[in-house]
Amino acid sequence: MPRPSRTHDAVDQLLDAIIDGTLTAGEQLPPEGQLATEFGVSRLTLREAVRLLQAQGVIVQVPGSRHRIAPVSEWTGMDAVVRHARSAGQRRRSSLELLEVRVMIETGAAQLAAERRTAEHLDALESSLQRMVAHHEADEVDAFVAADLEFHETILHAAENRILIAAMLPLTSMLAETRGETSAVGEIRQHAIAQHGKLLEAIRAGVPVAARDAMWTHMMQTRDDLIALVLD
């Protein structure tokens, strides 16, 4: 069995080749031996990488023939779709699409969190917000982003829904990247701190509708800032 790190490296190389057009959607995958040589991996590792991409719908097995590379519209794996979105020269579209997904998921998460949060969740939210303020004042963007992500992660956990958490996990890397873009702007950090404060108070008050609305307002502020100060 190939080492997981080697297999994941092969998956990355294969997926990158598909995304950048070196390997073309709709065409057959090159022979296994050729790809293994090009990527500097064993055939066993290459075979396992292909299997993992089959599970995401990126590669389709064709009986009696070489595998076929599926068009992006047929991909089913969130990791692959997100990676394509961020790497295919569609930065504006992918950023706004991600925000739309966040609106749908995180407003509901905030509503549940207001009903189910514990004292520990509230303490964690307060701590994250305090660190956001401190890192903003120190102009420590990476640390600010980490505290921001922790704040939202705490809300997801406070919602007490395992499927909700699993649904958001594949978006984590993409969220970190987009947060880094927006949080580099001081004005956007100030807006985020204000909106997080209102969100915390709504969850602390235990009013589900207020928490949902506070998250929606936060997402709309983020969207406006993204369009006005980052994407344009």
Side-chain angles (χ1 to χ4, degrees):
M1 179 67 66
R3 290 180 300 169
S5 59
R6 296 288 292 166
T7 301
H8 292 152
D9 286 346
V11 169
D12 288 343
Q13 292 182 77
L14 191 49
L15 191 54
D16 284 344
I18 293 170
I19 289 173
D20 67 24
T22 302
L23 300 177
T24 307
E27 295 186 357
Q28 288 184 325
L29 200 63
E32 182 181 277
Q34 176 185 328
L35 284 176
T37 299
E38 289 179 1
F39 295 160
V41 298
S42 69
R43 288 194 178 210
L44 181 59
T45 297
L46 192 283
R47 198 173 301 136
E48 182 64 12
V50 168
R51 187 189 67 79
L52 291 175
L53 288 178
Q54 279 183 257
Q56 297 194 58
V58 177
I59 294 173
V60 179
Q61 187 174 16
V62 181
S65 181
R66 293 204 306 271
H67 297 327
R68 176 178 62 85
I69 302 168
V72 178
S73 60
E74 296 179 8
W75 294 7
T76 57
M78 181 70 78
D79 289 342
V81 171
V82 167
R83 186 161 174 173
H84 179 273
R86 296 301 291 174
S87 305
Q90 301 182 35
R91 178 167 168 263
R92 179 186 177 91
R93 177 180 175 181
S94 64
S95 295
L96 294 177
E97 284 179 340
L98 173 62
L99 194 56
E100 289 172 351
V101 173
R102 289 187 61 200
V103 170
M104 289 184 277
I105 295 176
E106 294 198 54
T107 51
Q111 184 170 345
L112 290 175
E115 298 175 346
R116 302 172 180 176
R117 86 289 185 275
T118 64
E120 289 75 15
H121 290 134
L122 292 175
D123 287 345
L125 290 171
E126 183 68 45
S127 173
S128 295
L129 182 56
Q130 289 176 356
R131 282 184 285 115
M132 287 174 67
V133 172
H135 294 313
H136 165 62
E137 292 174 349
D139 200 27
E140 298 168 343
V141 175
D142 289 345
F144 179 91
V145 170
D148 186 350
L149 290 172
E150 287 176 15
F151 186 98
H152 285 266
E153 183 178 348
T154 298
I155 292 175
L156 291 176
H157 284 283
E160 294 289 348
N161 186 304
R162 293 171 299 176
I163 297 175
L164 173 66
I165 294 172
M168 285 296 291
L169 281 178
L171 301 177
T172 301
S173 61
M174 191 172 175
L175 281 171
E177 183 177 345
T178 56
R179 287 289 218 296
E181 292 175 345
T182 56
S183 297
V185 182
E187 183 180 349
I188 294 180
R189 294 200 302 270
Q190 290 177 333
H191 292 163
I193 289 170
Q195 294 296 332
H196 281 70
K198 294 176 182 177
L199 184 52
L200 171 56
E201 290 312 308
I203 293 174
R204 192 195 308 277
V207 182
V209 173
R212 179 198 65 196
D213 291 348
M215 181 65 82
W216 186 88
T217 300
H218 170 38
M219 293 292 102
M220 292 304 100
Q221 179 70 65
T222 300
R223 182 183 187 279
D224 291 345
D225 285 344
L226 189 62
I227 292 173
L229 300 173
V230 178
L231 296 179
D232 289 346

